Amino acid sequence: MQQKQNVPVERSEEMDSLFPKLWPCEVEVETAAGEIYKHRVDIAKGDPLSPLSDVERVGKFRGCADGVLPPSQIDGIVAAVNHLEDIDDLRPITELLISAKKIT
C-alpha cells in the first residue's frame, strides 16, 4: 500500500504582491528520484483573461453533467447552447435543464 504524503502549502510575498491584479499559483513537485518540476500560472484557465476554448467549455460541462443527466439530455443542452443566437424561445432549453433526474 502506498504511503500518504503531506502536501505543504506556503505563502509567497512575491505572489501576494501580484494579487488582486493576478491570481498566481506555483506548484513544485519532487519525484521519488529527486527530480524537481515547477510550474507557475498567473491567470487560471477559465478566468476572463484566460477563457476556456469551446472544446474545453463543452468538455467541462459534459464532465460535470455526466452521471446527473442522461447523455441524450446533455447532447441536447450542448446543441441548444451552441445555437442560442438562433433560438426565439428558451423554454425548450429550460425544460432540458429542469427535468434533470439523477441516474442510479
Side-chain angles (χ1 to χ4, degrees), residues 43-52:
I43 300 169
K45 190 70 172 168
D47 184 275
L49 296 174
S50 181
L52 297 173

Side-chain angles (χ1 to χ4, degrees), residues 58-71:
V58 170
K60 184 171 183 175
F61 171 72
R62 287 184 183 281
C64 291
D66 185 41
V68 178
L69 300 173

Side-chain angles (χ1 to χ4, degrees), residues 13 17 38:
E13 287 186 31
S17 71
K38 285 185 181 183

Side-chain angles (χ1 to χ4, degrees), residues 35-47:
E35 297 168 311
I36 296 176
Y37 297 91
K38 285 185 181 183
H39 185 72
R40 176 176 164 165
V41 174
D42 287 330
I43 300 169
K45 190 70 172 168
D47 184 275

